[in-house]
Amino acid sequence: MQHAYQASEPVLTHEIFGTLNSFETKHAPERLFLEGDASLLNEGKRVSVVGSRKPSPEGMARARAVTRALVEHGIIVVSGLAEGIDTVAHETALSEGGRTIAVLGTPLSETFPKSNQTLLKRIKAEHLAVSQFAEGTPARRTNFPQRNRTMALISDATIIIEASEKSGTRHQGWEALRLGRMVFLLQSIADNPSLSWPKEMIQYGAQVLRRDDLPDVLEDIPHFTAASVSAF
């Protein structure tokens, strides 16, 4: 059954989530704005697919392949509606007949980039958009790390497709690890000698995701969030 929400009134986070541990409660936003099918927050597994805003062609191909695999396993694809990998993840989920949640760093009436307005409109109509930012909230750099924390909170795992040494995508991985969620780095990232952050993240619990291991990994992702999310 679809539970439709409109963006006019915020929903208190404690009304959405049943039981959060003390660390989750400390870092969860006080309220969220929802538009679309809110049942996606309590049906099945959710995995964030994130990466660079300026991805390589290889990174875009990997994002499509990973997203297709998620859809094939019935997993809801979560991403941030940003340029690059996020857009590829949402668009692939839609084209493959999957389900997707967009977690925004802007109010629900806006997108960054603006070119994703049509994509956002479809997600709100058929899937779910989430924001912790009220209408009129100005665009700030700090919005996006906050958005990443919320993405990590509602996801059972995060898969990082591609990210440079200073990419904001790293925030997503660290937030997920802090929250006790699973983090996967594609092997192409882990093996990149020009990057130092993957090695550090692996030391703190991130796992390397190899192509041949992907089906088994997706089967084994636990429901970190399902038991803690109450019905609307």
Side-chain angles (χ1 to χ4, degrees):
M1 179 180 178
Q2 192 175 77
H3 303 271
Y5 265 77
Q6 297 299 319
S8 56
E9 294 294 333
V11 181
L12 295 176
T13 301
H14 70 78
E15 294 177 355
I16 300 173
F17 295 93
T19 303
L20 296 176
N21 64 39
S22 58
F23 190 82
E24 290 172 330
T25 300
K26 178 180 178 180
H27 292 281
E30 181 180 353
R31 61 184 185 176
L32 290 172
F33 296 87
L34 310 176
E35 189 162 353
D37 182 5
S39 69
L40 294 183
L41 287 174
N42 55 67
E43 290 184 356
K45 298 178 184 178
R46 288 172 296 281
V47 171
S48 287
V49 178
V50 296
S52 171
R53 285 186 167 89
K54 302 293 183 183
S56 67
E58 294 80 9
M60 294 177 69
R62 292 177 184 124
R64 293 188 189 98
V66 168
T67 303
R68 280 196 297 268
L70 291 171
V71 171
E72 289 170 0
H73 283 76
I75 296 172
I76 297 165
V77 178
V78 183
S79 202
L81 206 73
E83 184 179 9
I85 295 298
D86 290 16
T87 298
V88 172
H90 290 304
E91 290 181 339
T92 303
L94 295 175
S95 66
E96 296 294 322
R99 298 174 295 172
T100 191
I101 299 173
V103 185
L104 308 186
T106 61
L108 285 177
S109 63
E110 302 175 23
T111 61
F112 184 81
K114 293 186 181 299
S115 57
N116 273 348
Q117 276 287 355
T118 299
L119 178 58
L120 175 60
K121 183 177 180 180
R122 181 177 177 189
I123 290 173
K124 290 193 290 189
E126 302 174 9
H127 301 267
L128 179 65
V130 177
S131 176
Q132 63 206 84
F133 303 104
E135 292 301 318
T137 301
R140 300 188 182 96
R141 287 182 178 272
T142 55
N143 289 8
F144 295 94
Q146 292 176 51
R147 181 273 310 273
N148 290 340
R149 182 179 298 150
T150 299
M151 285 177 63
L153 180 70
I154 70 172
S155 299
D156 295 297
T158 288
I159 300 176
I160 300 179
I161 302 295
E162 186 175 73
S164 67
E165 191 67 13
K166 296 184 178 180
S167 172
T169 299
R170 296 171 302 146
H171 295 298
Q172 175 81 14
W174 288 117
E175 292 295 348
L177 288 173
R178 290 185 187 104
L179 289 166
R181 308 292 194 255
M182 300 185 78
V183 175
F184 297 97
L185 313 180
L186 293 197
Q187 187 172 10
S188 54
I189 296 176
D191 292 346
N192 189 333
S194 69
L195 299 177
S196 62
W197 67 265
K199 299 176 182 62
E200 183 178 5
M201 199 171 284
I202 289 167
Q203 289 176 350
Y204 280 89
Q207 301 179 41
V208 178
L209 182 58
R210 297 172 176 83
R211 180 191 298 270
D212 293 344
D213 297 336
L214 181 59
D216 291 337
V217 166
L218 297 184
E219 289 287 350
D220 293 339
I221 290 174
H223 285 267
F224 286 112
T225 61
S228 66
V229 180
S230 60
F232 285 83

